[in-house]
Amino acid sequence: MDGGPDLYTPGRIAYGNVDAMGLAHLLDLPGADPLLAGVGDTTPLLHVDGVVLFGDALPDDAPDPERELVEQLGLARVPARAVHEDVGAAAHAALQTIEGAGERFVIHLDVDVLGHLHLPLANMPNLDAPPWGLDVDELVAALRVFTASDRFAGLVLTEVNPGNAPDPSTLRDYVRMVADGVTP
């Protein structure tokens, strides 16, 4: 669950922030830094068939290097627009795909999957302009579908930047959102 697929590698993005490169290194894509791609016992740490992108707000109607790479790699993808149309159907489609990939799965939840005005905590905010990021209710509903699975193995929370919070209640809202999403 991420606002973008994080498929950049060093040299493919002007500002070079590592949080836009996570999946590229887990998949050991060409251009990945060998030190980052090789942190585990095996390289790559993930394979394309073990990844489902959920909730990204990549544009479908304009050139986008990450979306084009998603298509080239054949990554399973449930974009934000599909979640907006029917969150339950989108979450169940993603779950069916990821359950078919292995015995267990982990959810990567980057707060930038949300539209920035819904919960302003991301370092690289998903703009509140088309294509829209998810809202809190959509995120909670999808999390409930994923965490109800017997194959759910864990949740990784990323990119929460308390310095972006307009006040302390924003962090409480974030914790409540996550708790609501993992509670049946």
Side-chain angles (χ1 to χ4, degrees):
M1 300 180 82
D2 203 321
D6 299 342
L7 290 172
Y8 289 105
T9 54
R12 287 197 67 205
I13 189 169
Y15 46 86
N17 66 334
V18 176
D19 65 349
M21 301 181 188
L23 186 55
H25 285 84
L26 291 170
L27 294 170
D28 193 22
L29 296 182
D33 183 308
L35 293 174
L36 294 174
V39 298
D41 294 337
T42 62
T43 303
L45 290 168
L46 286 178
H47 296 278
V48 170
D49 63 352
V51 175
V52 176
L53 305 175
F54 187 86
D56 73 75
L58 296 174
D60 286 325
D61 57 353
D64 183 88
E66 279 193 299
R67 192 196 73 245
E68 292 164 10
L69 190 53
V70 166
E71 292 166 1
Q72 289 171 6
L73 293 170
L75 287 166
R77 176 178 176 234
V78 179
R81 67 174 162 65
V83 178
H84 300 321
E85 290 170 10
D86 187 336
V87 66
H92 284 287
L95 181 64
Q96 181 178 7
T97 301
I98 202 63
E99 284 184 335
E103 292 182 30
R104 309 285 285 166
F105 69 90
V106 173
I107 298 169
H108 161 92
L109 174 55
D110 188 326
V111 73
D112 75 4
V113 75
L114 294 167
H116 192 63
L117 293 178
H118 295 289
L119 207 60
L121 292 170
N123 288 328
M124 299 299 294
N126 185 343
L127 301 177
D128 283 293
W132 303 97
L134 304 186
D135 67 32
V136 170
D137 291 338
E138 290 169 331
L139 188 142
V140 168
L143 270 179
R144 286 183 176 164
V145 170
F146 301 147
T147 61
S149 170
D150 291 341
R151 295 186 183 182
F152 169 68
L155 179 65
V156 178
L157 306 174
T158 64
E159 204 190 322
V160 174
N161 185 340
N164 290 345
D167 60 66
S169 69
T170 306
L171 290 173
R172 286 191 294 274
D173 292 344
Y174 173 77
V175 170
R176 188 174 306 112
M177 175 192 71
V178 173
D180 287 349
V182 300
T183 304

